Amino acid sequence: PPLDRGLTLREYVLSGAADLIALEEELRELERAMAAGRHDPSTLDRYAQVQAGLEHAGGYAWRERTAAVVRGLGFSDADLDRSLDSFSGGELTRSSLARSLAGDPDLLLLDEPTNHLDVESIEWLERELQSLDAGVILVAHDRWFLESVTNAVLELAGGRSLYFAGPWHKWRLEKAARAQQAEKTIGRLDEDIARLERFVARFRYKKSKAKQAQAKLTHIGRLEGARGRSASELANLTRGQRSLGFDFLKPARSGRTVIEAEELAISAGDKELLERVSFALEREEHVALVGPNGSGKTTLLETILGRREPQAGTVRLGYGVEAAYFSQHEIELDERGSVLDCVQRATSLPRPQAQSLLGRFLFSGWQEHDKAVTVLSGGERRRLTLAIVVASGANLLVLDEPTNHLDLESREALEAALEAFPGTVLLVSHDRALIDAVAERTLAIEDRSMRSYEGGWAELVRRREERQRAEEPPPPKVKKAKAQPPKPVGPTPLEVVEAEIARQEEGVAELERRLADDWGNVELLAAHRAARDELQELLARWEQLFERSPT
């Protein structure tokens, strides 16, 4: 996030394009010098260089592109003049991403760029990066994002790197195939080594076979070297951070209706979030809740759980429902004592089972178990909370962005566990791969109302596109024109272009007359350059037509 919080959003974002602003200022200085009569070769050459540099970034239109970037990341035009110290942490992160995209970069380095973005902004960023004329190196745990944006993978594991020129999903398949092949090679080499060792053991001290036995020993040495290389490759392909050991307890059976809302309205302060919404979740349903940032997803979860009062309407949990809540914001942990104490108090597990649970969530050894809860990092607190949720025995899991701070393997482990969970799941997530795998139904908050879609994210996108096409007005019917009598032949294409050239030359001459009085007018200069470029295109077109015209 930005260090100088006294800047406005506009000032901060434009500071990422300091080189372009410098080019603009230098261009103005050169134009003032030329207007004062300085037309030496070095000034003209430098003017051409600066102009080319600015045009490489899109000319003066780069400012409008930067404004589009800011809007694409969820800011309004009114936010541009707000001071950074009035923004939330997520907004500050998005402002830094806008600053990085603003300066027409040749190389863009992005570390978890999808954090604090809603799905709409993530999809905008995907389109922006796909069209960007730059090299991009990004670190991300959003699998859908990786698949959409990247065309090569560099994986770091165990101090070594593995490069693959292709999309992420193909690398996963290739990596698995390589590991399988290395495993097969090790098995085959083990068999060959064992067979040769049996020969050596049997004939090593027999004079007639001693020479053969020595040759077999040499061969064994070569095979052991090959086995060592294959084992090293296998270890590198399978090495990585341990994934979380998700293992849900079988929950008690609840009533058929788990959550029921009728005519529900919720708000945050003066802002209405939902109005007159009705929905229900049934036993064992796995449902995703999606919507833009600020649409009320977390507020709705807290209202369902009785932590907030609705503005109107009712919402209730069904018979026998035991809910466990994983919060995006306040991770509620008992901070008295150690990590192990916290888990035992929350789950009533005996010490050995509590230690085993912590081990599955990457808290290994007595030093990790005895660590004070108060000194845990944000990621450690989330892992500890997930461990408690897993061991809770609840039959309703209410999960608000559970994959934040989890690596890819842990996300996939959570995904597999939620798919297999025999209770009810209500999931808020920006991880579209997780939604697509887990959700049997998706509730989407749209314009303070709620719409239900069967299936996960891909199905939601498909249904939305179908609805938008159905809502588009049909194209107007074009009446067939009645046959017209033959008309006189009009001007030839060459004559049309000649007329356009004449008009364009008059326009260029008029701009030059105005510039003679005001060479420092940047808008006039830009218009003059555009008019000259258009005139050159018309002249080139005239030459092509002239060459093809009959003499």
Side-chain angles (χ1 to χ4, degrees):
L3 298 176
D4 185 353
R5 304 291 172 83
L7 298 173
T8 65
L9 176 62
R10 186 193 309 275
E11 290 168 337
Y12 179 61
V13 170
L14 289 180
S15 70
D19 54 338
L20 298 181
I21 293 171
L23 285 177
E24 283 185 340
E25 180 57 36
E26 187 177 1
L27 203 61
R28 282 193 289 268
E29 289 177 3
L30 288 166
E31 286 164 350
R32 285 192 290 268
M34 291 161 64
R38 208 166 101 197
H39 297 106
D40 56 282
S42 63
T43 300
L44 296 175
D45 286 347
R46 182 56 188 162
Y47 182 83
Q49 290 169 9
V50 173
Q51 189 178 34
L54 195 59
E55 287 175 354
H56 173 72
Y60 289 100
W62 73 267
R63 288 179 181 269
E64 178 50 38
R65 191 187 70 244
T66 299
V69 166
V70 172
R71 289 191 291 270
L73 290 172
F75 293 106
S76 67
D77 290 342
D79 291 329
L80 287 168
D81 295 315
R82 281 175 56 195
S83 175
L84 291 180
D85 57 18
S86 68
F87 287 127
S88 67
E91 288 172 326
L92 290 172
T93 301
R94 285 190 281 127
S95 70
S96 291
L97 180 56
R99 181 182 183 275
S100 298
L101 291 166
D104 187 41
D106 296 309
L107 174 65
L108 194 59
L109 307 177
L110 300 174
D111 192 359
E112 297 293 352
T114 60
N115 283 358
H116 305 290
L117 297 184
D118 58 24
V119 175
E120 186 178 350
S121 296
I122 293 172
E123 291 180 333
W124 173 88
L125 181 60
E126 286 171 352
R127 293 190 295 271
E128 183 74 8
L129 294 179
Q130 287 164 0
S131 64
L132 195 66
D133 183 19
V136 179
I137 300 176
L138 64 89
V139 174
H141 290 146
D142 184 323
R143 292 159 289 171
W144 203 298
F145 184 75
L146 287 173
E147 191 64 33
S148 297
V149 173
T150 64
N151 51 32
V153 179
L154 180 67
E155 181 170 308
L156 307 180
R160 292 179 60 190
S161 65
L162 292 164
Y163 179 78
F164 180 76
W168 182 76
H169 79 277
K170 286 192 176 177
W171 162 237
R172 296 299 296 273
L173 295 173
E174 172 71 15
K175 186 180 177 183
R178 288 188 196 181
Q180 188 177 34
Q181 184 58 44
E183 206 165 3
K184 284 182 180 177
T185 301
I186 290 170
R188 179 175 53 76
L189 290 170
D190 283 342
E191 289 177 3
D192 290 347
I193 290 168
R195 177 175 51 78
L196 292 171
E197 283 177 339
R198 287 196 298 272
F199 181 92
V200 171
R202 187 175 179 185
F203 298 112
R204 188 172 192 175
Y205 299 106
K206 226 176 188 184
K207 271 191 176 182
S208 61
K209 299 283 186 178
K211 194 171 182 182
Q212 282 180 277
Q214 189 58 45
K216 301 294 185 192
L217 280 172
T218 303
H219 192 191
I220 287 171
R222 287 197 296 270
L223 292 179
E224 285 177 339
R227 187 195 186 284
R229 289 189 292 275
S230 292
S232 176
E233 182 183 4
L234 179 62
N236 201 34
L237 288 165
T238 56
R239 182 188 286 115
Q241 293 183 335
R242 290 174 298 146
S243 59
L244 307 191
F246 294 102
D247 186 15
F248 291 95
L249 302 176
K250 186 172 178 60
R253 187 177 174 85
S254 69
R256 180 173 178 178
T257 301
V258 175
I259 300 171
E260 186 173 27
E262 293 183 2
E263 299 292 305
L264 183 66
I266 62 173
S267 60
D270 296 332
K271 183 181 179 183
E272 279 194 357
L273 299 173
L274 289 173
E275 52 185 28
R276 301 175 65 84
V277 166
S278 298
F279 64 92
L281 268 69
E282 294 193 351
R283 182 178 58 236
E284 299 180 8
E285 258 200 307
H286 291 184
V287 176
L289 175 64
V290 301
N293 282 347
S295 62
K297 299 186 296 296
T298 297
T299 305
L300 176 58
L301 296 186
E302 292 177 349
T303 305
I304 289 170
L305 296 171
R307 301 184 179 206
R308 287 175 177 263
E309 288 296 320
Q311 191 176 8
T314 61
V315 61
R316 66 177 186 85
L317 297 180
Y319 173 77
V321 173
E322 297 177 19
Y325 180 42
F326 185 87
S327 168
Q328 177 188 179
H329 302 297
E330 295 299 323
I331 300 176
E332 297 174 357
L333 292 171
D334 186 339
E335 296 189 338
R336 297 171 295 164
S338 69
V339 167
L340 183 59
D341 295 334
C342 178
V343 167
Q344 286 192 271
R345 277 195 295 269
T347 65
S348 301
L349 287 172
R351 185 181 179 89
Q353 283 92 327
Q355 288 173 324
S356 175
L357 176 71
L358 286 170
R360 294 205 307 273
F361 283 81
L362 313 187
F363 294 99
S364 300
W366 65 269
Q367 288 179 321
E368 291 287 312
H369 296 174
D370 288 345
K371 186 184 288 187
V373 176
T374 53
V375 303
L376 295 181
S377 68
E380 288 172 327
R381 291 177 71 88
R382 295 188 72 80
R383 283 194 275 118
L384 183 58
T385 308
L386 268 175
I388 292 169
V389 169
V390 163
S392 68
N395 52 25
L396 168 62
L397 299 183
V398 180
L399 307 175
D400 194 358
E401 298 293 354
T403 58
N404 285 357
H405 305 291
L406 295 187
D407 58 32
L408 286 168
E409 291 77 12
S410 297
R411 288 177 182 223
E412 289 175 342
L414 174 62
E415 179 182 296
L418 291 179
E419 284 184 275
F421 179 62
T424 308
V425 175
L426 180 57
L427 167 70
V428 170
S429 180
H430 291 148
D431 187 330
R432 291 158 294 171
L434 180 69
I435 292 172
D436 216 45
V438 172
E440 302 157 348
R441 183 161 64 98
T442 302
L443 296 175
I445 297 175
E446 300 173 353
D447 298 323
R448 297 196 299 279
S449 64
M450 186 174 287
R451 192 183 292 266
S452 178
Y453 297 88
E454 291 300 317
W457 182 257
E459 184 65 15
L460 177 147
V461 171
R462 187 184 70 79
R463 293 278 301 280
R464 274 182 177 172
E465 289 174 349
E466 284 180 355
R467 190 175 80 243
Q468 287 168 359
R469 284 195 294 270
E471 291 172 354
E472 288 175 0
K477 291 182 179 179
V478 180
K479 292 182 179 179
K480 287 187 177 180
K482 293 180 180 179
Q484 298 291 329
K487 294 182 179 180
V489 178
T492 66
L494 188 64
E495 290 169 336
V496 170
V497 172
E498 285 173 345
E500 288 180 7
I501 287 172
R503 283 194 298 272
Q504 191 67 18
E505 285 175 337
E506 288 178 10
V508 169
E510 173 59 24
L511 285 168
E512 286 174 349
R513 282 192 294 273
R514 293 169 62 189
L515 280 170
D517 299 323
D518 188 8
W519 267 101
N521 189 318
V522 174
E523 291 181 1
L524 277 180
L525 281 164
H528 180 244
R529 282 197 295 272
R532 281 187 313 178
D533 291 343
E534 191 173 341
L535 178 58
Q536 291 301 319
E537 290 174 6
L538 286 169
L539 289 169
R541 175 68 176 154
W542 180 86
E543 287 179 5
Q544 293 172 353
L545 291 170
F546 182 78
E547 288 174 1
R548 292 201 296 265
S549 64
T551 54

